[in-house]
């Protein structure tokens, strides 16, 4: 990731606080607990993005079936043909980084719960997510095609256009989708690409997301250790904990 300003450092460094870039998809651990070695299939759909948002799939099916179907997708099990293009409006809103809540101890309850059924201690989970969530971009605002990054009291905005999606296949057998947007006018202060991952694979409003950003589209697809994560800014730290525990 590049820093803000972006191109003074390597293409994969966004800020002094970012170790690398962003995300991962989890079959069992809400965000990212799985083997991240992967290959990707190129689905570069650079066409008009006025797509049909009727994506609830087979309303004739019963509720339990729909719930299981959505759970499978969230866990990374889906068919290629189920993946649909998404507009930037799916992530519209005012978003806050969860990293400060990790640092101040608010998320400790989440790591304790993970330890009860996982293969790490609460302290080990916290260290793992400390790398994953780490970022200096404390806030992101998305309005139309405009994306504004807030970092260390400064803000920088750019217009982004849809640039297709990539399907990633992980070593564990589950998969994820990155939805990619490209900066309309090149800038030294903004990343050329941003890539969203929110466990969904077709148009729907995001409730949280992991974001990768930088100047090298392909290199970003290889980033699997640092995945800055954002929840709506109106939520308190305790409300974010409740959201995480519910998954």
């Amino acid at each position: 990731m590049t820093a803000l300003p972006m191109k003074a450092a390597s293409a994969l460094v966004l800020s002094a606080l970012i170790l690398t870039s962003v995300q991962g998809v989890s079959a069992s651990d809400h965000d990212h607990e799985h083997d991240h070695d992967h290959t990707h299939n190129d689905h570069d759909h650079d066409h008009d993005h006025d797509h049909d948002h009727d994506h609830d799939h087979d309303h004739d099916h019963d509720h339990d079936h729909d719930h299981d179907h959505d759970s499978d997708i969230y866990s990374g099990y889906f068919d290629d043909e189920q993946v649909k293009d998404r507009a930037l409006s799916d992530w519209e809103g005012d978003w806050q980084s969860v990293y400060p809540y990790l640092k101040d101890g608010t998320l400790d309850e989440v790591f304790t719960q993970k330890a009860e059924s996982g293969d790490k201690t609460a302290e080990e989970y916290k260290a793992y997510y400390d790398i994953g969530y780490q970022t200096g971009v404390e806030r992101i605002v998305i309005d139309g095609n405009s994306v504004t990054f807030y970092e260390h009291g400064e803000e920088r905005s750019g217009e982004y256009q849809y640039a297709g999606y990539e399907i990633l296949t992980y070593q564990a057998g589950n998969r994820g989708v990155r939805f990619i947007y490209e900066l309309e006018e090149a800038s030294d202060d903004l990343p050329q690409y941003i890539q969203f991952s929110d466990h969904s694979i077709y148009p729907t409003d995001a409730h949280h997301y992991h974001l990768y950003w930088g100047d090298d589209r392909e290199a970003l697809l290889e980033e699997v250790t640092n995945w800055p994560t954002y929840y709506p800014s109106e939520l308190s730290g305790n409300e974010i904990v409740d959201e995480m525990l519910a998954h």
Side-chain angles (χ1 to χ4, degrees):
M1 277 192 193
T2 47
L4 295 177
M6 300 279 171
K7 294 178 180 173
S10 72
L12 295 180
V13 180
L14 172 66
S15 74
L17 293 179
I18 292 182
L19 296 180
T20 44
S21 114
V22 196
Q23 197 242 352
V25 183
S26 165
S28 61
D29 197 31
H30 177 62
D31 287 320
H32 303 283
E33 275 296 280
H34 68 286
D35 295 320
H36 287 289
D37 292 340
H38 63 264
T39 58
H40 66 270
N41 302 319
D42 188 2
H43 291 268
D44 217 2
H45 302 290
D46 295 316
H47 50 67
D48 184 65
H49 199 55
D50 292 329
H51 44 242
D52 185 2
H53 279 246
D54 183 13
H55 54 268
D56 288 333
H57 295 293
D58 296 329
H59 290 281
D60 293 336
H61 293 185
D62 60 46
H63 175 77
D64 289 339
H65 180 91
D66 288 344
H67 177 77
D68 291 342
H69 177 73
D70 291 342
S71 180
D72 286 344
I73 291 174
Y74 188 92
S75 297
Y77 298 96
F78 52 84
D79 298 323
D80 286 4
E81 58 267 23
Q82 293 177 270
V83 182
K84 305 299 180 185
D85 296 315
R86 297 175 67 181
L88 193 56
S89 58
D90 280 2
W91 298 278
E92 192 163 73
D94 193 322
W95 304 89
Q96 62 177 320
S97 167
V98 300
Y99 188 55
Y101 297 121
L102 180 146
K103 300 304 289 184
D104 70 12
T106 301
L107 301 185
D108 285 356
E109 183 180 354
V110 176
F111 307 132
T112 297
Q113 185 194 66
K114 290 182 183 297
E116 292 174 356
S117 58
D119 59 359
K120 297 180 178 67
T121 66
E123 292 75 17
E124 288 170 335
Y125 274 115
K126 184 170 184 176
Y128 173 77
Y129 281 90
D130 195 327
I131 295 172
Y133 289 157
Q134 189 170 132
T135 181
V137 178
E138 65 271 9
R139 181 184 174 207
I140 295 174
V141 175
I142 300 172
D143 183 12
N145 289 329
S146 174
V147 179
T148 303
F149 297 86
Y150 293 79
E151 183 179 20
H152 306 311
E154 297 184 2
E155 61 182 84
R156 294 174 174 85
S157 299
E159 299 286 319
Y160 285 83
Q161 291 292 335
Y162 185 59
Y165 62 78
E166 300 278 358
I167 299 175
L168 307 184
T169 301
Y170 301 110
Q171 195 172 62
N174 59 331
R175 304 193 297 166
V177 181
R178 300 271 187 93
F179 293 93
I180 304 169
Y181 296 81
E182 184 174 6
L183 187 64
E184 289 185 7
E185 297 183 8
S187 169
D188 290 338
D189 295 328
L190 291 164
Q192 188 66 23
Y193 295 97
I194 56 176
Q195 300 183 358
F196 291 88
S197 179
D198 61 1
H199 313 289
S200 295
I201 63 172
Y202 41 68
T204 188
D205 292 337
H207 300 289
H208 78 277
Y209 61 85
H210 317 289
L211 190 67
Y212 305 79
W213 58 82
D215 292 339
D216 188 327
R217 173 183 173 133
E218 292 300 313
L220 286 177
L221 296 173
E222 301 302 319
E223 173 54 56
V224 291
T225 59
N226 175 237
W227 11 265
T229 299
Y230 295 85
Y231 276 75
S233 291
E234 67 265 21
L235 296 182
S236 68
N238 288 333
E239 287 172 326
I240 291 174
V241 168
D242 290 341
E243 291 281 327
M244 290 182 172
L245 292 177
H247 292 88

